[in-house]
Structure formats: C-alpha cells, structure tokens
Amino acid sequence: MTTTLKNAEEIHELLAQACTRRELVILATPYLRFESSFVAIEGKELHVLATMDRDDAVYGLNTGALKMRFPLGLGFLEASVQMLGLGLQDGRRTVRLTLPKVLQENDQRVAYRVERIGRVEATFSTPKSDLFTATLLDLSVTGARIHAHRDLPEGSLHAGDQILVTIPVNEEIRIQTSALVRHLRGRTVGIQYQAQLGPSLQEPLSRWVFLRREEERDRLARRMELALRPGSPAAGLPELSILLISADPDLEHDLNAALDGIRTLVRLAPAAQSLKEALLSKPSLAIFHVGGAGLDERRRLKTLMEIAQRKVPTLLLGTALDGAALFELAGEWKASSAISWNPERGPFLQRLVRGMIRRHMNAGEGPMSPLAPEHYLGD
C-alpha cells in the first residue's frame, strides 16, 4: 500500500526541505542507480549533486524511466522525473531534473527492518530497573528486535511493558528512548519506540535505514544474477551469451575486453538467419552495432532488431555516429538502451550491460517484449 501526494505546493515544500538539509537521494533507471543529494530548486527545476561524470549522466540518466527515491520522516518517497541537463549551483556541478508531479509514499503500517547490521550492543532496563545488555538483531525507524545476553528472570518482563533502551548504531545514531515491549520469546525482545524521536535522530536514522534497504535491493539482484550465470549449479539453464551483431572484428575485441567476466560475447554477421539461430540458445542480450552506415544498411539492421526484440533486450551501440543521430535511431527502433561507444566507456558499458541482464532475468518471463521508447539512453 502506498500514499500518493499530488498537491503541487506540498510536493514543492517537501523537496525544498530536502534541499535545505542536503538530503540523500537515489537516482535509478531500469538498469542503473546513482547515489546523490538534493541541492536546490530553481524555478521549475530540481538540482541534485552530479556525483557521476558527464558521460555517465548523459547516457545513464537521460531516459523517461528515471526515478528518484529518498527518505522522509518514518518512510521513503519515490517519484518519476526527467533529466533536463547539467547545471551549476554554488560552484558545484548538478543534474537538472523536472519537479515531480506525484510522490509515492510508503504505507507506514509496516516499517522496513534492517537485518544486516553488524555487531551492535544495546542495553535495556526492565520496569523493575534490572539492567541487561543485548545484541541488536534488526532495526527500523519505529522499533527494533534485541537478544539479551543472559536469561530474563521469570516474570521480570511481559508484552506490553514499557522499558528504557539504548541502541548505539554508530557515532551519529544513538537511540535512547522509552519503548513498548511488543513481543517476548525467551531472550529475544521486540520493541516499539514510545517517545517521538527528535529530528536530530530521526533524520539520520531514516537515512541509514533507507541506504540499507537500497543495498539489500542490489544484493538480491546480484544474487539472482550469480544464480543464473553459465555453469551455476543453481541455474540448470543452457549457457547464456551476449550477441554482437556487427561486421567489425575490432569492435568484438574491444567489447570482449570491456565485458570480460559477464558473459561470452558471440559476434554475428548482420543476417537474419544467423540471428534467428543464435536466438534459439536464449542469449542474455543482443548488441546491435550501428556506424556511419547508409540508409539500406540501417533498414536491414532495424529489421534484425525487430526479430531480436521478441526474445531479448536490445542495446544499440553507435560508432562514428553523433549522439543526436543515435538518440533518434534508438527511439525509432525502440531499443531497450543505447550508448555511443569508445573504449574509455568500458566501465560504464559493463555497468549498463549488467543492469540490463539483471532486469531481464528478474522479469522471469519467456520472450522479451520490446521496451517502450522511453527506456533508451542517449545524448
């Protein structure tokens, strides 16, 4: 369940507050994510810190599927935005975004609980003032679960009791509050904070939980990718590969170096029959190379892409082609994504390809239907 915020003034005020405190924000596309922070609102534009280089911003964020996520109070907000370009605020490079018209807010009846915490020792006192030390098991913005280091005397604690608890999460976050015992099982105690946590504690705690949730998303996605890699005993699938539809052997060499360790790269001549046969092996991705070719060759390549789009995500890779032309072709051909290639973009290409494969695998579907035009990336 989510709560939808549509009031323009309310949205503007929430974002202005986020800018004032330089709040953390995640910029995410279907394939990539970047950690940033709010900077300022200028007219109808929202500025966030450009934590990525120019090429990563241009080719990673210029998509109609861009979303931003950030913590607020006890929950997290998400909105669809569009990149307008790069900017400058107070001497800092920024990414200019549209102001969102709608914010989606998490339902606060269930708070996200962080379970991968590390070694954190808490203390709590019972209604009879008995003091106990405990290990922190999980933590949310509304409560926690702790495990006492010694047995609790019989009758010393019951569900519904109010206790005092101290949880030093890190140097910035130290929770000291009264709490209600929600459940009790042996030495394990589930608590809900009773006192309102002040902004100086609530904001960093919400930010910390938000970041742990984002990390867990990535961890689960990577686990899925590893499980489905060629040779994985968990997969039980035929060997997956990346198809490169290109007549250029030098490009094959460059991409093999850039994509080393992800998948086997198989280069095909731009021909329908060889492509159809290769698609029978269920590849992970098809990369279509387009250079400064003539009109007839581009028509042939578009036909080949239409064949592949029924089965796999498609990446349009341009050489000897300016960004505007690539952008136009990607939209016309409904490519899943696109990038102007040079060897310096190898690390970014690897991130993009990993994201595309991961999303395709997580979909858990058969044939891959073409993505809408807004999913491509371009200059």
Side-chain angles (χ1 to χ4, degrees), residues 357-379:
I357 293 174
R358 186 179 299 157
R359 185 170 188 264
H360 179 39
M361 287 178 168
N362 288 347
E365 300 172 353
M368 183 71 175
S369 58
L371 296 180
E374 65 265 24
H375 283 82
Y376 63 76
L377 313 175
D379 256 343

Side-chain angles (χ1 to χ4, degrees), residues 296-307:
D296 288 342
E297 185 170 345
R298 289 192 182 179
R299 284 174 178 166
R300 188 181 311 117
L301 201 58
K302 179 183 178 183
T303 300
L304 295 177
M305 181 172 283
E306 289 171 349
I307 294 172

Side-chain angles (χ1 to χ4, degrees), residues 76 93 199 228 254 311:
F76 315 120
R93 293 189 311 111
L228 295 178
D254 290 345
K311 302 288 185 179

Side-chain angles (χ1 to χ4, degrees), residues 172-224:
E172 183 184 16
I173 303 170
R174 183 181 178 85
I175 300 170
Q176 288 182 299
T177 185
S178 60
L180 188 68
V181 177
R182 301 295 296 179
H183 58 82
L184 182 65
R185 180 176 298 176
R187 295 184 182 183
T188 302
V189 184
I191 62 171
Q192 178 182 346
Y193 313 138
Q194 285 291 91
Q196 179 84 23
L197 300 179
S200 61
L201 178 59
Q202 182 68 69
E203 289 175 8
L205 176 60
S206 180
R207 190 178 303 121
W208 183 86
V209 172
F210 173 75
L211 273 175
R212 300 293 89 73
R213 186 184 75 158
E214 290 291 323
E215 290 171 0
E216 186 62 19
R217 280 184 173 185
D218 278 356
R219 188 177 296 111
L220 290 174
R222 287 195 300 270
R223 190 178 304 162
M224 175 67 76

Side-chain angles (χ1 to χ4, degrees), residues 10-126:
E10 183 179 4
I11 291 174
H12 189 282
E13 179 60 25
L14 288 175
L15 294 177
Q17 293 175 8
C19 291
T20 298
R21 61 178 184 270
R22 296 291 189 263
E23 186 57 84
L24 169 76
V25 61
I26 299 293
L27 302 177
T29 76
Y31 314 125
L32 299 167
R33 65 187 290 277
F34 300 94
E35 187 175 313
S36 182
S37 58
F38 289 98
V39 175
I41 295 177
E42 187 176 62
K44 295 184 178 180
E45 297 182 358
L46 174 65
H47 288 255
V48 300
L49 194 63
T51 54
M52 69 299 293
D53 63 30
R54 182 186 182 280
D55 284 341
D56 282 8
V58 168
Y59 288 97
L61 299 178
N62 192 4
T63 165
L66 178 62
K67 292 183 180 294
M68 67 176 187
R69 299 191 292 264
F70 61 99
L72 179 74
L74 300 181
F76 315 120
L77 297 178
E78 181 176 271
S80 295
V81 292
Q82 288 186 331
M83 178 182 172
L84 298 174
L86 301 175
L88 195 66
Q89 285 283 326
D90 300 327
R92 291 176 296 179
R93 293 189 311 111
T94 62
V95 175
R96 296 161 41 234
L97 305 172
T98 57
L99 287 173
K101 296 180 180 179
V102 176
L103 290 177
Q104 298 286 341
E105 182 180 19
N106 285 8
D107 188 330
Q108 295 312 300
R109 288 176 294 180
V110 180
Y112 179 80
R113 288 191 171 271
V114 179
E115 296 180 341
R116 300 174 66 93
I117 292 174
R119 300 176 64 88
V120 175
E121 186 173 289
T123 58
F124 68 95
S125 60
T126 68

Side-chain angles (χ1 to χ4, degrees), residues 236-257:
L237 297 173
E239 182 167 334
L240 304 174
S241 60
I242 296 173
L243 302 182
L244 170 62
I245 294 83
S246 172
D248 186 349
D250 292 334
L251 178 62
E252 178 186 10
H253 178 271
D254 290 345
L255 295 191
N256 258 317

